[in-house]
């Protein structure tokens, strides 16, 4: 399915948002980057490493290579996070924070504004992008893993944009030693990003895709499941930004990360379970027989059985490790192609053509 969809009004809305989003961000943050942009450049290698590390983690969370047919949605989701999210989030955070300050006072706002404002507006802006991309590519979506990947890359784009913004803010706030402070902040954001925007949006993406694809269930069920996964994303963000309790520095830094990691792990375990059910259903179908017996294909289900299967290939077929991994990837891709295959509907033969004259 092509990324270019000129007949879709939603596609052109997406394009306008991607073009105008950076302009809105520059209007709001031009002075920040004018005075702090040069020292912030030293953090770019660490920001690039952040992109590589968490992109690789998202791919590792996809053991059955659902990403192969989602290249365009993943790229377009990432672009939304990089271009549209920063300007909208900057504007929304300022306004929501002002409302919190006016309602609850300065003392409460100083402690809690980040834990309230950011989960409300930042997650909402990201889920809009997830929904836009998911609707544009609805025919490609059939599994919760598809939502996890699209949502994860929308969040990763937002995370990269936020890292760049924080680097400029740090450089402006530390005129004595901007380079050193920028590097410290960049490293800390890399270390603490294991449950950051990408993980939060990945769960929201699961909810969006289930809302779209589970047409066999009632609207109440679909909305409830979306609310559950979106609520988990918001809760993770609130925990991540909540005021830290008194205690050792390592505990203050790690406690919210550990709690968020538990939330994400439980949700991901369910998503992985749906992937294994999909694979079992596919390999049990007669159409998969040309690829191998069901018992043989079942070795793809877990990482442990796949390691044993690769070891068997190296021993029996004298394959090297790269060859065995390539064979496994190709087999998974063929199984995926079978799951997408729909046999053609043969027309009913006209019985009059078979009647003797």
């Amino acid at each position: 399915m092509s990324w270019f969809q000129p007949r879709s009004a939603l596609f052109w809305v997406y394009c306008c948002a991607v073009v105008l989003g950076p302009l809105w961000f520059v209007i709001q943050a031009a002075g920040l980057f004018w005075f702090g942009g040069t020292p912030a450049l030293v953090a770019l290698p660490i920001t690039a490493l952040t992109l590589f590390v968490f992109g690789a983690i998202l791919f590792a969370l996809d053991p059955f290579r659902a990403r192969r047919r989602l290249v365009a949605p993943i790229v377009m989701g990432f672009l939304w996070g990089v271009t549209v999210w920063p300007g909208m989030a900057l504007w929304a955070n300022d306004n929501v924070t002002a409302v919190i300050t006016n309602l609850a006072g300065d003392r409460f706002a100083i402690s809690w504004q980040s834990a309230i404002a950011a989960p409300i507006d930042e997650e909402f802006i990201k889920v809009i992008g997830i929904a836009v991309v998911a609707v544009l590519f609805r025919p490609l979506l059939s599994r919760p893993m598809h939502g996890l990947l699209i949502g994860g890359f929308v969040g990763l784009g937002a995370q990269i944009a936020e890292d760049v913004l924080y680097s400029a803010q740090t450089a402006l706030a530390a005129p004595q030693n901007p380079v050193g402070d920028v590097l410290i902040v960049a490293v800390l954001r890399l270390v603490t990003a294991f449950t950051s925007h990408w993980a939060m949006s990945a769960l929201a993406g699961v909810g969006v895709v289930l809302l779209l694809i589970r047409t066999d269930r009632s609207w109440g069920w679909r909305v409830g499941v979306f609310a559950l996964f979106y609520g988990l994303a918001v809760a993770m963000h609130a925990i991540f930004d909540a005021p830290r309790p008194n205690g050792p520095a390592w505990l203050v830094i790690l406690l919210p990360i550990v709690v968020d990691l538990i939330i994400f792990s439980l949700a991901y375990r369910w998503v992985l379970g749906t992937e294994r059910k999909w694979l079992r259903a596919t390999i049990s179908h007669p159409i998969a027989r040309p690829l191998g017996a069901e018992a043989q294909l079942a070795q793809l289900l877990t990482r442990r059985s796949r390691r044993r299967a690769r070891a068997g290939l190296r021993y029996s077929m004298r394959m090297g490790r790269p060859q065995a991994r390539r064979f496994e990837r190709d087999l998974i891709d063929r199984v995926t192609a079978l799951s997408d295959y729909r046999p053609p509907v043969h027309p009913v033969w006209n019985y009059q053509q078979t009647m003797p004259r």
Side-chain angles (χ1 to χ4, degrees):
M1 184 174 182
S2 174
W3 67 272
F4 185 61
Q5 302 179 36
R7 295 184 179 182
S8 169
L10 185 61
F11 171 76
W12 293 113
V13 171
Y14 169 89
C15 292
C16 290
V18 168
V19 172
L20 296 177
L23 297 178
W24 192 7
F25 178 70
V26 168
I27 290 173
Q28 297 177 84
L32 176 66
F33 284 96
W34 179 264
F35 294 104
T38 301
L41 293 176
V42 299
L44 286 182
I46 301 175
T47 303
L49 180 61
T50 302
L51 174 61
F52 174 79
V53 167
F54 294 102
I57 288 175
L58 279 166
F59 285 165
L61 294 175
D62 175 30
F64 303 121
R65 295 168 60 79
R67 60 188 179 273
R68 289 278 296 176
R69 62 199 304 261
L70 295 179
V71 175
I74 284 174
V75 172
M76 291 177 68
F78 181 81
L79 286 176
W80 179 280
V82 168
T83 60
V84 180
W85 181 85
M88 294 183 68
L90 198 61
W91 175 84
N93 275 330
D94 289 343
N95 286 275
V96 176
T97 298
V99 172
I100 295 171
T101 303
N102 292 333
L103 293 177
D106 291 336
R107 180 176 298 180
F108 178 86
I110 290 173
S111 300
W112 288 96
Q113 62 186 13
S114 295
I116 296 175
I120 292 174
D121 56 67
E122 293 182 8
E123 293 306 315
F124 182 68
I125 297 166
K126 287 187 293 180
V127 85
I128 291 175
I130 297 168
V132 168
V133 174
V135 171
L136 285 173
F137 293 93
R138 169 64 185 85
L140 297 181
L141 308 180
S142 59
R143 291 142 54 189
M145 180 60 74
H146 296 156
L148 187 138
L149 289 169
I150 294 174
F153 277 95
V154 170
L156 184 57
Q159 189 169 319
I160 296 303
E162 190 175 67
D163 285 352
V164 173
L165 178 62
Y166 269 63
S167 296
Q169 289 178 336
T170 302
L172 192 63
Q176 300 300 323
N177 185 23
V179 173
D181 287 359
V182 166
L183 288 175
I184 291 172
V185 170
V187 171
L188 282 175
R189 288 189 61 80
L190 171 61
V191 172
T192 59
F194 284 89
T195 55
S196 187
H197 285 291
W198 70 271
M200 302 163 190
S201 296
L203 298 190
V206 173
V208 170
V209 167
L210 286 172
L211 178 63
L212 287 177
I213 69 173
R214 290 304 303 269
T215 54
D216 59 315
R217 306 300 294 263
S218 67
W219 268 106
W221 185 93
R222 292 157 67 185
V223 172
V225 170
F226 165 75
L228 171 63
F229 280 95
Y230 181 66
L232 290 176
V234 172
M236 286 179 64
H237 205 147
I239 292 170
F240 193 85
D241 287 343
R244 303 297 195 262
N246 295 325
W250 64 269
L251 181 63
V252 169
I253 294 175
L254 291 181
L255 182 60
I257 298 175
V258 171
V259 175
D260 279 355
L261 189 60
I262 292 172
I263 295 173
F264 180 82
S265 299
L266 292 174
Y268 173 72
R269 185 176 180 180
W270 179 83
V271 173
L272 184 60
T274 65
E275 286 289 280
R276 288 173 176 159
K277 288 180 181 178
W278 159 80
L279 185 64
R280 287 192 186 98
T282 302
I283 63 179
S284 65
H285 197 280
I287 200 173
R289 292 292 76 79
L291 297 182
E294 184 176 349
Q296 295 172 323
L297 296 176
Q299 295 178 356
L300 297 171
L301 284 169
T302 66
R303 296 184 187 277
R304 180 179 298 179
S305 62
R306 287 160 72 168
R307 283 196 299 268
R308 288 200 300 265
R310 289 197 300 268
L313 286 173
R314 293 198 303 271
Y315 177 77
S316 61
M317 305 294 292
R318 297 294 188 268
M319 287 186 180
R321 289 180 183 273
Q323 289 177 307
R325 288 188 178 276
R326 192 178 306 116
F327 180 85
E328 178 187 279
R329 291 197 300 268
D330 291 343
L331 185 58
I332 292 173
D333 290 342
R334 287 198 289 269
V335 171
T336 301
L338 287 179
S339 73
D340 296 334
Y341 173 74
R342 298 293 182 270
V345 178
H346 296 286
V348 177
W349 189 259
N350 186 349
Y351 76 94
Q352 292 181 348
Q353 296 178 0
T354 64
M355 295 291 289
R357 295 185 180 276

